[in-house]
PDB file of all heavy atoms in Angstrom:
ATOM      1  N   PRO A  62     118.449 166.121 117.289  1.00 87.00           N
ATOM      2  CA  PRO A  62     117.699 166.693 118.388  1.00 87.00           C
ATOM      3  C   PRO A  62     117.025 165.694 119.378  1.00 87.00           C
ATOM      4  O   PRO A  62     116.665 164.623 118.827  1.00 87.00           O
ATOM      5  CB  PRO A  62     116.665 167.567 117.709  1.00 87.00           C
ATOM      6  CG  PRO A  62     117.147 167.778 116.368  1.00 87.00           C
ATOM      7  CD  PRO A  62     117.882 166.474 116.029  1.00 87.00           C
ATOM      8  N   PRO A  63     116.913 165.948 120.667  1.00 90.00           N
ATOM      9  CA  PRO A  63     116.321 164.912 121.502  1.00 90.00           C
ATOM     10  C   PRO A  63     114.865 164.865 121.481  1.00 90.00           C
ATOM     11  O   PRO A  63     114.149 165.855 120.834  1.00 90.00           O
ATOM     12  CB  PRO A  63     116.742 165.497 122.915  1.00 90.00           C
ATOM     13  CG  PRO A  63     116.907 166.928 122.665  1.00 90.00           C
ATOM     14  CD  PRO A  63     117.455 167.083 121.359  1.00 90.00           C
ATOM     15  N   LEU A  64     114.208 163.762 121.916  1.00 89.00           N
ATOM     16  CA  LEU A  64     112.861 163.563 121.958  1.00 89.00           C
ATOM     17  C   LEU A  64     112.156 164.492 122.982  1.00 89.00           C
ATOM     18  O   LEU A  64     112.627 164.626 124.020  1.00 89.00           O
ATOM     19  CB  LEU A  64     112.431 162.101 122.238  1.00 89.00           C
ATOM     20  CG  LEU A  64     111.034 161.821 122.290  1.00 89.00           C
ATOM     21  CD1 LEU A  64     110.320 161.880 121.038  1.00 89.00           C
ATOM     22  CD2 LEU A  64     110.865 160.308 122.960  1.00 89.00           C
ATOM     23  N   ASN A  65     111.080 165.111 122.517  1.00 89.00           N
ATOM     24  CA  ASN A  65     110.156 166.043 123.399  1.00 89.00           C
ATOM     25  C   ASN A  65     109.173 165.074 124.069  1.00 89.00           C
ATOM     26  O   ASN A  65     108.112 164.902 123.539  1.00 89.00           O
ATOM     27  CB  ASN A  65     109.627 167.176 122.629  1.00 89.00           C
ATOM     28  CG  ASN A  65     108.875 168.082 123.635  1.00 89.00           C
ATOM     29  OD1 ASN A  65     108.665 167.847 124.846  1.00 89.00           O
ATOM     30  ND2 ASN A  65     108.681 169.352 123.136  1.00 89.00           N
ATOM     31  N   ARG A  66     109.692 164.372 125.194  1.00 89.00           N
ATOM     32  CA  ARG A  66     108.804 163.341 125.793  1.00 89.00           C
ATOM     33  C   ARG A  66     107.546 163.882 126.349  1.00 89.00           C
ATOM     34  O   ARG A  66     106.453 163.214 126.196  1.00 89.00           O
ATOM     35  CB  ARG A  66     109.586 162.607 126.810  1.00 89.00           C
ATOM     36  CG  ARG A  66     109.072 161.402 127.231  1.00 89.00           C
ATOM     37  CD  ARG A  66     110.002 160.593 128.166  1.00 89.00           C
ATOM     38  NE  ARG A  66     111.163 160.278 127.547  1.00 89.00           N
ATOM     39  CZ  ARG A  66     111.307 159.205 126.771  1.00 89.00           C
ATOM     40  NH1 ARG A  66     110.294 158.492 126.519  1.00 89.00           N
ATOM     41  NH2 ARG A  66     112.528 158.872 126.224  1.00 89.00           N
ATOM     42  N   ALA A  67     107.544 165.019 126.886  1.00 88.00           N
ATOM     43  CA  ALA A  67     106.236 165.540 127.524  1.00 88.00           C
ATOM     44  C   ALA A  67     105.248 165.860 126.414  1.00 88.00           C
ATOM     45  O   ALA A  67     104.118 165.531 126.527  1.00 88.00           O
ATOM     46  CB  ALA A  67     106.545 166.842 128.222  1.00 88.00           C
ATOM     47  N   LEU A  68     105.767 166.442 125.222  1.00 88.00           N
ATOM     48  CA  LEU A  68     104.766 166.583 124.172  1.00 88.00           C
ATOM     49  C   LEU A  68     104.337 165.423 123.459  1.00 88.00           C
ATOM     50  O   LEU A  68     103.144 165.299 123.215  1.00 88.00           O
ATOM     51  CB  LEU A  68     105.523 167.634 123.159  1.00 88.00           C
ATOM     52  CG  LEU A  68     104.663 167.951 121.883  1.00 88.00           C
ATOM     53  CD1 LEU A  68     103.489 168.716 122.313  1.00 88.00           C
ATOM     54  CD2 LEU A  68     105.513 168.840 120.881  1.00 88.00           C
ATOM     55  N   LYS A  69     105.192 164.450 123.445  1.00 89.00           N
ATOM     56  CA  LYS A  69     104.839 163.170 122.886  1.00 89.00           C
ATOM     57  C   LYS A  69     103.677 162.491 123.704  1.00 89.00           C
ATOM     58  O   LYS A  69     102.665 162.064 123.184  1.00 89.00           O
ATOM     59  CB  LYS A  69     105.951 162.225 122.787  1.00 89.00           C
ATOM     60  CG  LYS A  69     105.632 160.930 122.180  1.00 89.00           C
ATOM     61  CD  LYS A  69     106.740 159.924 122.055  1.00 89.00           C
ATOM     62  CE  LYS A  69     106.332 158.616 121.522  1.00 89.00           C
ATOM     63  NZ  LYS A  69     107.409 157.620 121.429  1.00 89.00           N
ATOM     64  N   ASN A  70     103.789 162.646 125.055  1.00 89.00           N
ATOM     65  CA  ASN A  70     102.767 162.016 125.953  1.00 89.00           C
ATOM     66  C   ASN A  70     101.488 162.761 125.816  1.00 89.00           C
ATOM     67  O   ASN A  70     100.392 162.188 125.817  1.00 89.00           O
ATOM     68  CB  ASN A  70     103.263 161.978 127.416  1.00 89.00           C
ATOM     69  CG  ASN A  70     104.501 161.160 127.678  1.00 89.00           C
ATOM     70  OD1 ASN A  70     104.664 160.237 126.870  1.00 89.00           O
ATOM     71  ND2 ASN A  70     105.234 161.447 128.662  1.00 89.00           N
ATOM     72  N   LEU A  71     101.518 164.149 125.669  1.00 89.00           N
ATOM     73  CA  LEU A  71     100.273 164.860 125.438  1.00 89.00           C
ATOM     74  C   LEU A  71      99.568 164.466 124.228  1.00 89.00           C
ATOM     75  O   LEU A  71      98.351 164.222 124.174  1.00 89.00           O
ATOM     76  CB  LEU A  71     100.552 166.443 125.521  1.00 89.00           C
ATOM     77  CG  LEU A  71     100.955 166.972 126.802  1.00 89.00           C
ATOM     78  CD1 LEU A  71     101.371 168.498 126.642  1.00 89.00           C
ATOM     79  CD2 LEU A  71      99.799 166.965 127.855  1.00 89.00           C
ATOM     80  N   CYS A  72     100.295 164.399 123.170  1.00 88.00           N
ATOM     81  CA  CYS A  72      99.858 163.983 121.817  1.00 88.00           C
ATOM     82  C   CYS A  72      99.143 162.559 121.893  1.00 88.00           C
ATOM     83  O   CYS A  72      98.034 162.355 121.332  1.00 88.00           O
ATOM     84  CB  CYS A  72     100.750 163.993 120.702  1.00 88.00           C
ATOM     85  SG  CYS A  72     101.382 165.733 120.405  1.00 88.00           S
ATOM     86  N   GLU A  73      99.839 161.643 122.413  1.00 87.00           N
ATOM     87  CA  GLU A  73      99.236 160.259 122.612  1.00 87.00           C
ATOM     88  C   GLU A  73      97.956 160.248 123.463  1.00 87.00           C
ATOM     89  O   GLU A  73      97.028 159.500 123.100  1.00 87.00           O
ATOM     90  CB  GLU A  73     100.360 159.421 123.153  1.00 87.00           C
ATOM     91  CG  GLU A  73     101.562 159.086 122.167  1.00 87.00           C
ATOM     92  CD  GLU A  73     102.576 158.203 122.800  1.00 87.00           C
ATOM     93  OE1 GLU A  73     102.502 157.922 124.024  1.00 87.00           O
ATOM     94  OE2 GLU A  73     103.440 157.699 122.151  1.00 87.00           O
ATOM     95  N   ALA A  74      97.967 160.996 124.576  1.00 87.00           N
ATOM     96  CA  ALA A  74      96.741 160.996 125.221  1.00 87.00           C
ATOM     97  C   ALA A  74      95.615 161.593 124.563  1.00 87.00           C
ATOM     98  O   ALA A  74      94.452 161.191 124.709  1.00 87.00           O
ATOM     99  CB  ALA A  74      96.977 161.833 126.605  1.00 87.00           C
ATOM    100  N   PHE A  75      95.815 162.706 123.691  1.00 84.00           N
ATOM    101  CA  PHE A  75      94.814 163.429 122.915  1.00 84.00           C
ATOM    102  C   PHE A  75      94.212 162.255 121.829  1.00 84.00           C
ATOM    103  O   PHE A  75      93.000 162.117 121.752  1.00 84.00           O
ATOM    104  CB  PHE A  75      95.341 164.559 122.173  1.00 84.00           C
ATOM    105  CG  PHE A  75      94.434 165.147 121.193  1.00 84.00           C
ATOM    106  CD1 PHE A  75      93.269 165.898 121.678  1.00 84.00           C
ATOM    107  CD2 PHE A  75      94.597 164.934 119.965  1.00 84.00           C
ATOM    108  CE1 PHE A  75      92.475 166.416 120.720  1.00 84.00           C
ATOM    109  CE2 PHE A  75      93.703 165.474 118.961  1.00 84.00           C
ATOM    110  CZ  PHE A  75      92.598 166.196 119.367  1.00 84.00           C
TER     111      PHE A  75
END
Side-chain angles (χ1 to χ4, degrees):
L64 174 69
N65 191 339
R66 193 172 298 278
L68 181 58
K69 181 180 180 183
N70 291 338
L71 287 174
C72 293
E73 290 178 348
F75 172 80

